């Protein structure tokens, strides 16, 4: 009788050890990148109260209407949600712990997000984001910092062809004016709208511009533009941002249709897109959300930020030359009763000396252990038998280059192998 296998949930992926090194390369690069800009790490729980996302992202958005994993905690009746994004949690934590009393905050987070979407290339139900948020800064200098930062990360990862689409949503009043004009226009074309867009016409008409339905492209292209309704100060700030980007040499194009799928945005918004990703072309998205802190119950504070879609970004990295799989420096082969004990001690000494060591476990012949050593990719085999144990030495055999097997004290062996490793 065989027991039925249990499989992972659709749209939620395992990253297997053979696929992990691009992730590790990305994580290392991202940590260095955040450090040189002085951002500090914030870690929040994956579960939050559903209310947090409804209030921030907006009730009439795709995420809240149909993509959130929500459930009632059976033990206490609380309505909970797996986080669909990180900004709301970040703002909640900042308010809850009064972080803004210490002055403006530059923060980042990293981790899985959950959305019940139709799984396809570049769209998963568990995916990962790196998010960067700056709270307490009115901009547009900080908005420019974020975009300059992104451009630096694309360079560090060796990406080209990631392009910046930029727009401004203005303040709440100008959006209300624009909304009226847009609704009038869309009503004239109502017969040609799809069911989703018809519904949004009543609830959240700006979202129609965000539709991915190619049949609506013509209607969307002909829609009135928000820029004609913009208030003075949004317009001025947007022009300053563009000047800062030109100064920094960050290219962009203005996309008047860019509205973003979350309600909390105002002012400058943007998406970094690549034409190599097919329909799921945005790798990073963000903008200003000056009303959100107050909306979640804090004292009003301006803020902005962005999130990178890690899976989509990894799909863009072509040059994995720097993302080489990690191999151990040493594979330790040990045979004989005394050598087993001695070998385990030697492995710890080598690690004290800064080398990475795979200690052979599970016994077996010398030949089979050497086969494992080869297959591990290690630079050296360190071999100990009862002879070596008695003499308190080891035998070192280079596995990746010509060279004789040689006996050495543990200290000499460390020096020898570290020279070999660092000369790579
Ligand atoms: P899209 O328009 O592609 O649905 P979005 O506007 O819903 O994106 P955001 O909420 O702005 O996405 O999230 C920021 C980034 O996270 C996106 O640009 C994308 O790279 C990534 N992302 C969003 N949803 C998914 C998903 N379901 N699977 C993989 N990556 C995602
Ligand atoms: Mg989406």
């Amino acid at each position: 009788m065989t027991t039925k296998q249990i499989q992972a949930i659709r749209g939620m992926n395992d990253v297997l050890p053979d696929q992990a090194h691009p992730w590790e390369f990305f994580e290392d690069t991202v940590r260095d990148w955040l450090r040189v800009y002085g951002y500090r790490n914030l870690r929040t729980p994956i579960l939050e109260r559903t209310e947090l996302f409804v209030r921030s992202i907006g009730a009439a958005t795709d995420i809240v209407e149909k993509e959130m994993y929500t459930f009632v905690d059976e033990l206490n009746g609380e309505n909970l949600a797996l986080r669909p994004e990180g900004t709301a949690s970040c703002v909640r934590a900042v308010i809850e712990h009064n972080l803004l009393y210490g002055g403006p905050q530059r923060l980042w987070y990293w981790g899985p997000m959950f959305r019940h979407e139709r799984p396809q290339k570049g769209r998963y139900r568990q995916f990962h984001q790196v998010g960067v948020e700056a709270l307490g800064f009115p901009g547009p200098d900080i908005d420019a910092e974020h975009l300059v930062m992104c451009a630096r990360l694309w360079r560090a990862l060796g990406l080209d062809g990631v392009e910046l689409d930029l727009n401004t949503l203005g303040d709440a009043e100008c959006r209300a004016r624009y909304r009226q004009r847009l609704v009038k226009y869309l009503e004239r074309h109502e017969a040609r709208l799809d069911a989703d867009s018809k519904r949004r016409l009543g609830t959240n008409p700006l979202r129609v511009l965000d539709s991915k339905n190619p049949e609506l492209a013509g209607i969307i292209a002909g829609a009135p533009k928000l820029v004609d309704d913009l208030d003075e100060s949004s317009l001025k700030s947007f022009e300053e941002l563009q000047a800062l980007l030109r100064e920094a040499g960050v290219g962009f194009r203005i996309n008047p249709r860019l509205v973003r799928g979350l309600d909390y945005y105002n002012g400058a918004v943007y998406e970094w897109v690549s034409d190599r990703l097919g329909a799921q072309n945005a790798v990073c998205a963000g903008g200003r959300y000056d009303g959100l802190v107050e909306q979640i119950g804090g004292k009003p504070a301006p803020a902005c930020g962005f999130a990178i879609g890690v899976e989509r970004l990894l799909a863009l990295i072509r040059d994995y030359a720097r993302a080489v799989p990690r191999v151990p420096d040493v594979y330790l082969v040990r045979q004989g009763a005394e050598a087993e004990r001695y070998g385990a001690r030697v492995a710890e000494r080598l690690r004290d000396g800064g080398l990475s060591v795979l200690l052979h476990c599970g016994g077996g012949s010398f030949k089979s252990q050497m086969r494992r050593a080869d297959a591990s990719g290690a630079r050296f085999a360190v071999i100990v038998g009862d002879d070596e144990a008695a003499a308190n030495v080891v035998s070192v055999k280079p596995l990746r280059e010509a060279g004789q097997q040689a006996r050495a004290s543990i200290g000499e062996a460390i020096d020898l192998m570290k020279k070999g490793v660092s000369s790579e």
Side-chain angles (χ1 to χ4, degrees), residues 41-343:
N41 189 208
L42 173 73
R43 298 174 189 230
T44 62
I46 285 169
L47 278 180
E48 296 274 1
R49 289 172 208 286
T50 307
E51 175 65 14
L52 173 67
F53 301 114
V54 177
R55 239 205 268 172
S56 54
I57 297 168
T61 58
D62 278 356
I63 295 179
V64 169
E65 279 181 343
K66 48 191 189 195
E67 295 174 1
M68 268 211 294
Y69 283 90
T70 56
F71 62 95
V72 179
D73 183 335
E74 286 179 13
L75 297 177
N76 59 12
E78 284 178 337
N79 289 301
L80 304 180
L82 284 170
R83 64 180 183 195
E85 58 103 52
T87 303
S89 309
C90 172
V91 171
R92 181 210 37 80
V94 163
I95 297 169
E96 191 167 336
H97 304 288
N98 296 317
L99 294 190
L100 284 172
Y101 284 104
Q105 297 287 321
R106 284 180 166 90
L107 304 170
W108 71 275
Y109 57 82
W110 146 270
M113 305 294 162
F114 304 85
R115 296 185 195 176
H116 201 281
E117 304 194 68
R118 191 170 67 79
Q120 52 198 291
K121 184 168 169 278
R123 199 175 284 292
Y124 311 103
R125 290 181 174 171
Q126 174 174 321
F127 62 100
H128 296 76
Q129 288 185 339
V130 173
V132 167
E133 315 285 358
L135 297 105
F137 296 94
D141 47 3
I142 192 86
D143 307 65
E145 172 171 297
H146 284 176
L147 292 165
V148 169
M149 260 175 104
C150 289
R152 179 187 289 272
L153 181 62
W154 313 152
R155 284 196 304 277
L157 294 169
L159 302 184
D160 45 31
V162 183
E163 294 183 343
L164 176 58
D165 274 1
L166 195 61
N167 193 20
T168 178
L169 300 179
D171 65 10
E173 278 162 44
C174 83
R175 262 201 316 288
R177 275 198 303 277
Y178 174 66
R179 184 185 159 125
Q180 283 183 354
R181 277 208 303 144
L182 181 66
V183 168
K184 270 199 202 121
Y185 168 84
L186 291 173
E187 277 172 353
R188 271 188 277 134
H189 298 279
E190 197 169 346
R192 284 161 60 205
L193 295 181
D194 58 16
D196 253 1
S197 298
K198 277 188 187 143
R199 196 170 41 78
R200 284 178 179 145
L201 191 52
T203 56
N204 202 343
L206 262 69
R207 210 88 311 136
V208 176
L209 302 179
D210 200 32
S211 169
K212 302 260 157 40
N213 182 351
E215 282 168 27
L216 298 186
I219 294 178
I220 292 172
K225 294 192 171 109
L226 195 141
V227 64
D228 302 327
D229 287 295
L230 274 189
D231 56 292
E232 274 298 301
S233 93
S234 300
L235 199 59
K236 186 164 161 280
S237 171
F238 194 47
E239 274 161 9
E240 274 172 39
L241 174 61
Q242 293 175 53
L244 290 169
L245 292 178
R246 279 191 209 100
E247 179 127 326
V250 176
F252 59 89
R253 63 186 166 225
I254 304 292
N255 176 357
R257 314 287 162 215
L258 182 70
V259 292
R260 308 285 303 112
L262 301 84
D263 275 357
Y264 52 62
Y265 287 109
N266 69 291
V269 291
Y270 51 88
E271 279 182 4
W272 290 90
V273 297
S274 162
D275 60 10
R276 283 180 27 221
L277 287 172
Q280 272 54 255
N281 65 349
V283 289
C284 172
R288 190 146 272 286
Y289 51 89
D290 294 321
L292 186 57
V293 177
E294 188 176 16
Q295 223 171 300
I296 298 183
K299 271 214 248 149
C304 62
F306 63 88
I308 297 168
V310 178
E311 282 82 356
R312 291 187 199 173
L313 201 67
L314 290 181
L316 278 184
I317 301 178
R318 281 190 187 152
D319 172 18
Y320 274 116
R322 285 171 298 158
V324 282
R326 291 178 186 178
V327 292
D329 301 321
V330 175
Y331 193 97
L332 196 140
V333 169
R334 48 178 176 164
Q335 219 189 13
E338 187 47 40
E340 293 255 331
R341 282 190 292 277
Y342 176 65

